[in-house]
Amino acid sequence: MPKVDYAQVRTWMEHLEEDCALEEQEEAVRGLIEYVQHDERREMSFLQRIFLGGDLHSFTRHNAACVVAALDDDIIEYYAPLCLDWLWDVNWPGAEIIFDRLTIVRGDYVDAMIERALHVCDRYDCAPHPEMWRDTLKDLQKRRAAYKSGHPLRGYSRCVDVGYREDADARP
């Protein structure tokens, strides 16, 4: 991929907003997928800006989740703790997309991060969010185990196809 300047990434970020034209949103999602797939620095990438952006990015979260869902497993694993934080509130835009993608990520690192997040829930047990987060994490554990066993739970995909489903059945 040719070098992408920061201004282009910023434009794509702005075009993720739901009030932008659909064509601009689609172009931004495609551009950011390509950018993140080839960004070896990762510490200053689009994903960290999305994850750390808080409420300022609430209108971009669904499209940002579509970008995350299309990334390779190794990149998803790199950002697993931040992906799990996204699931703190399953009503957050894009949370179902992230949940579904984490269900089929290969490797054990995501499982270890889920365990770690569950320990955080136990340590900071204050209603309602840690309870919701704990329930979501336990559900994710159950669905990951079922998927790994070759018997995915029916209906595990709770969102629209975002580009990674065609090879989901071929993954071990």
Side-chain angles (χ1 to χ4, degrees), residues 11-58:
T11 299
W12 285 333
M13 294 276 294
E14 292 168 4
H15 289 173
L16 286 178
E17 291 190 17
E18 295 167 356
D19 62 348
C20 286
L22 187 57
E23 299 82 30
E24 290 176 332
Q25 292 179 48
E26 290 171 352
E27 178 189 341
V29 167
R30 281 191 306 273
L32 287 166
I33 289 169
E34 185 74 15
Y35 168 70
V36 176
Q37 287 285 100
H38 295 94
D39 179 24
E40 295 179 9
R41 296 172 297 139
R42 291 191 187 152
E43 71 275 357
M44 294 302 294
S45 76
F46 148 80
L47 287 181
Q48 278 200 323
R49 293 192 62 216
I50 286 295
F51 287 126
L52 302 174
D55 292 337
L56 297 175
H57 297 295
S58 62

Side-chain angles (χ1 to χ4, degrees), residues 54-111:
D55 292 337
L56 297 175
H57 297 295
S58 62
F59 297 108
T60 65
R61 288 281 181 151
H62 178 82
N63 285 328
C66 291
V67 173
V68 172
L71 298 174
D72 293 339
D73 285 358
D74 65 322
I75 297 173
I76 300 288
E77 278 195 319
Y78 183 85
Y79 289 106
L82 295 173
C83 288
L84 293 174
D85 285 349
W86 200 324
L87 302 179
W88 181 270
D89 184 344
V90 291
N91 296 311
W92 194 258
E96 287 187 354
I97 295 170
I98 298 299
F99 181 95
D100 288 347
R101 181 62 175 100
L102 288 173
T103 299
I104 64 172
V105 170
R106 287 179 268 169
D108 296 328
Y109 183 71
V110 172
D111 297 319

